[in-house]
Amino acid sequence: MKESLERATVSWPGALVAPVTRDEFAILLPLDHLAPGADSHQAAIELGEGICRQVRRDTRATVTVGIGRPVAKVAELARSYAEAVAAAEFRLFYGGDQVIHADDVIARPSAGQFLPAPEEQELTQAIRMGDRQAAYRQAKNILMQLLLEQEKRPAILKMKLLELNTLAARAALEGGADPEAVSDLALASSTEFLTLDNLADMRERILERLMALVAQVAETREQRNSSLIDRASKYIEANFSQDLTLEEVARQVYLSPCYFSKLFKQFKGLNFIDYLTKVRLKAARELLLNTKLPVAEIATRVGYRDARYFGQVFKKQEGYTPSVFRKIGGAHFGKSTS
């Protein structure tokens, strides 16, 4: 994948491709080669489209390109990266194999807003992803820093808490949480933060409200992921006789193979291959018990091109060869076999 991305970005002088996680790469794009007055927004989108085409040619993966806004200083790159990550998350709404620019999906911060510290960026990302543990950890760190400044700047503290509340609410919306629920939580929090005058109570109430926002995102993602895995399962059950691969099924639900594999195991309790085998063998049992088709024909019908291999898989799972199973199946299994 890295080689494919490097080929796609060779036309952009100075572009740097760097792996971030197993499924994610960051691409840094210097803008000094662009002509004065050139549209960097459009140039980045065109490069992103080129990346999608190159990856399609080189691999069977689905790629989403999120683009952050340009920045003038190295110290501001973290903000651009966070915008790119947030933009890429919108693939959940638009599907994979897309180029999504932050300008098109994320509102610009209002004038005078204090810039988020790295911990706050990590908090908003954790909220977007519905990651309870990471969100709680980062929220505690932020509150510790803010509350330590309270005696010197109490008015500034309240302003920052309101900003943190707004930041968290926006992240929850970007993560797909229900707008009404987020609005109710955010409004209630804003009122409480301005009236509480006890630091310990304030800290606990803020954490409680922030975790409620994370729970909203987590619930939404859980429902969405469950729906995607149900779609994938139906696709497998309708096409098990074909040469199905994990990558092909992942593409049907617009997820990366790695993430799809993890989600599938989480929701189904089986990895992809084991589930596919289960579906195929269920169909094979039914054909063995209810038809007189030759074993080789049944193997083909349930997705095995090699009848010998089918027999090995069947015996490993059922304890009998297909022929023996057919002979004793009526007595030992009946038509209720699942």
Side-chain angles (χ1 to χ4, degrees):
M1 180 62 76
K2 184 171 186 290
E3 291 172 357
S4 183
L5 293 175
E6 287 173 342
R7 279 193 290 273
T9 56
V10 71
S11 62
W12 193 295
L16 175 64
V17 178
V20 178
T21 67
R22 183 174 179 178
D23 286 323
E24 178 182 311
F25 290 82
I27 303 176
L28 303 179
L29 301 175
L31 303 179
D32 51 2
H33 81 285
L34 296 177
D39 186 349
S40 62
H41 177 113
Q42 186 58 34
I45 287 178
E46 289 173 359
L47 179 66
E49 291 171 346
I51 288 171
C52 289
R53 289 193 296 271
Q54 186 70 50
V55 171
R56 280 198 299 271
R57 282 195 295 266
D58 295 344
T59 74
R60 302 186 68 181
T62 297
V63 65
T64 300
V65 180
I67 304 174
R69 299 182 178 104
V71 295
K73 301 176 182 177
V74 172
E76 296 172 338
L77 278 175
R79 187 183 71 211
S80 182
Y81 168 72
E83 290 173 346
V85 171
E89 278 296 297
F90 279 78
R91 68 184 181 278
L92 296 170
F93 304 109
Y94 302 136
D97 205 23
Q98 297 280 343
V99 180
I100 307 171
H101 197 293
D103 276 340
D104 300 326
V105 292
I106 304 171
R108 285 185 177 273
S110 57
Q113 179 185 42
F114 71 95
L115 293 176
E119 291 86 353
E120 289 167 326
Q121 293 175 1
E122 292 175 17
L123 172 63
T124 56
Q125 180 64 4
I127 293 173
R128 288 188 198 104
M129 301 302 294
D131 188 335
R132 294 176 174 88
Q133 291 185 342
Y136 188 79
R137 182 176 64 252
Q138 292 301 334
K140 283 182 65 178
N141 291 339
I142 293 167
L143 288 172
M144 183 180 298
Q145 293 177 31
L146 293 180
L147 297 180
L148 285 175
E149 300 174 356
Q150 188 270 344
E151 290 184 356
K152 297 179 181 178
R153 305 186 296 174
I156 297 297
L157 169 65
K158 288 191 174 183
M159 182 195 75
K160 289 191 174 184
L161 289 177
L162 288 173
E163 179 61 33
L164 180 63
N165 184 50
T166 302
L167 204 68
R170 185 182 301 123
L173 288 173
E174 291 171 354
D178 178 67
E180 272 193 44
V182 171
S183 176
D184 291 344
L185 286 168
L187 289 174
S189 301
S190 297
T191 303
E192 290 171 348
F193 297 167
L194 293 174
T195 56
L196 287 171
D197 54 11
N198 180 288
L199 287 181
D201 288 346
M202 182 179 289
R203 175 181 177 278
E204 292 308 311
R205 189 59 58 86
I206 292 170
L207 285 173
E208 179 183 319
R209 293 296 188 183
L210 287 178
M211 296 316 295
L213 285 173
V214 180
Q216 283 288 328
V217 176
E219 181 180 347
T220 301
R221 292 179 72 90
E222 189 82 2
Q223 292 172 350
R224 184 166 55 236
N225 289 338
S226 176
S227 175
L228 290 175
I229 296 304
D230 283 345
R231 279 173 50 195
S233 300
K234 288 182 173 63
Y235 184 82
I236 292 169
E237 290 160 9
N239 297 277
F240 64 85
S241 62
Q242 309 300 316
D243 290 327
L244 280 186
T245 65
L246 182 145
E247 289 77 14
E248 178 185 347
V249 179
R251 280 199 301 274
Q252 297 299 317
V253 292
Y254 306 106
L255 295 176
S256 73
C258 182
Y259 186 53
F260 170 72
S261 178
K262 178 181 177 182
L263 274 186
F264 195 89
K265 179 70 179 290
Q266 175 186 331
F267 280 91
K268 290 297 183 181
L270 295 171
N271 63 36
F272 169 77
I273 290 297
D274 289 344
Y275 186 83
L276 178 58
T277 300
K278 177 182 176 182
V279 172
R280 285 173 166 172
L281 293 189
K282 178 181 178 182
R285 290 195 301 268
E286 292 173 353
L287 290 172
L288 286 166
L289 292 174
N290 301 311
T291 74
K292 295 182 179 181
L293 290 171
V295 170
E297 174 67 16
I298 290 174
T300 300
R301 288 197 178 196
V302 300
Y304 292 95
R305 302 298 172 253
D306 185 335
R308 183 178 178 184
Y309 178 66
F310 164 68
Q312 293 171 347
V313 173
F314 193 93
K315 184 176 181 181
K316 181 179 179 181
Q317 295 293 324
E318 304 296 337
Y320 301 97
T321 65
S323 299
V324 172
F325 178 89
R326 171 173 268 167
K327 289 180 181 179
I328 68 172
H332 290 265
F333 293 87
K335 294 186 179 180
S336 63
T337 303
S338 63

